Amino acid sequence: MRPEQHHQHRDVTGGWLRPAVFGAMDGLVSNFALIAGVAGGQATQKVVLLAGLAGLAAGAFSMAAGEYISVASQSELAEAEIEVERLELARHPVAEQRELAEVFEARGVDPETAAEVARQLSRDPDEALEVHTREELGVTPGDLPSPVLAAGSSFLSFAVGALLPVLPYLLGATSLWPAAGIAALGLFCAGAVVSRITARAWWFGGSRQLLFGAAAALITYGFGALIGSNGL
């Protein structure tokens, strides 16, 4: 007899890797483009450094605030709807049990089995609430995302990415080339890491991210050079 075969799937949501890498990538692209634009305007090393640090702080705090508000609003809405479901289960237990049975029937379970499963699940109020909210709302009580954690993660990941192109200026660099080299390496590595959650080859993911990041920096550099040449 052949042994039973099992297979495993990758996490298609990306887990923690996706938001962390994309946050860092966002910080790297946006801040390097900002630095490139300021450097293109023939600004001094001190001005470019100041712009880079200001971009890091502004972007990181903006990302954190936006993520906090977004996740908090989503969690508050989910909690309000969970409370509605909790009240419905307390006030109309028979109707809610039938509703749950209909959910199972819609998935192909025969009516008798669906009714029995719904009856057994409904004996425990907490279990019934969890099943109802998962089926109707797509969330699980007690397992909602944390706004503070989301904000902190966004702040740190963006700040790490945004810091990379600033590092050469912090160490005394006076031209854009060292920052460009570090940014290019960071972009390629970030794209290669992202390929872990896709079906693409690492070199393709890295090259694609490098191309888009370089395009953003070149366009911004051109704007900076144009404005600088006009003496604005």
Side-chain angles (χ1 to χ4, degrees):
M1 178 182 294
R2 295 180 61 185
E4 184 179 356
Q5 298 292 320
H6 296 279
H7 67 279
Q8 294 181 332
H9 292 289
R10 291 178 293 178
D11 182 2
V12 296
T13 67
W16 62 268
L17 179 65
R18 184 181 184 280
V21 174
F22 277 90
M25 199 181 295
D26 188 16
L28 176 54
V29 172
S30 62
N31 213 33
F32 178 56
L34 172 63
I35 289 173
V38 176
Q42 304 303 312
T44 64
Q45 182 263 356
K46 185 176 181 180
V47 171
V48 175
L49 175 59
L50 177 60
L53 292 175
L56 185 158
F61 280 110
S62 176
M63 286 282 291
E67 193 71 11
Y68 182 91
I69 293 172
S70 175
V71 174
S73 299
Q74 183 181 5
S75 296
E76 289 164 2
L77 174 60
E79 288 170 355
E81 291 301 311
I82 289 171
E83 187 59 28
V84 169
E85 193 63 38
R86 192 192 309 275
L87 292 174
E88 285 297 307
L89 284 168
R91 293 171 179 172
H92 310 290
V94 176
E96 289 296 308
Q97 181 176 321
R98 180 55 197 163
E99 184 180 285
L100 187 58
E102 290 173 355
V103 170
F104 295 136
E105 287 181 39
R107 296 190 173 188
V109 179
D110 65 80
E112 294 78 12
T113 303
E116 178 60 21
V117 172
R119 185 189 68 79
Q120 293 187 30
L121 289 174
S122 299
R123 290 184 301 191
D124 183 346
D126 292 334
E127 182 68 23
L129 178 64
E130 180 175 332
V131 174
H132 275 275
T133 54
R134 188 167 59 243
E135 294 295 332
E136 298 176 30
L137 304 175
V139 298
T140 302
D143 193 28
L144 298 177
S146 166
V148 174
L149 181 59
S153 299
S154 295
F155 182 93
L156 289 175
S157 60
F158 185 96
V160 168
L163 179 63
L164 289 178
V166 180
L167 279 175
Y169 287 96
L170 286 172
L171 297 176
T174 56
S175 73
L176 185 62
W177 290 111
I182 290 180
L185 180 61
L187 287 167
F188 185 87
C189 290
V193 170
V194 170
S195 69
R196 290 186 55 188
I197 57 175
T198 68
R200 296 290 189 177
W202 63 270
W203 57 266
F204 177 87
S207 299
R208 179 173 60 181
Q209 186 55 44
L210 176 59
L211 176 64
F212 281 107
L218 286 172
I219 292 172
T220 312
Y221 183 90
F223 275 114
L226 178 63
I227 293 172
S229 65
N230 289 330
L232 297 179

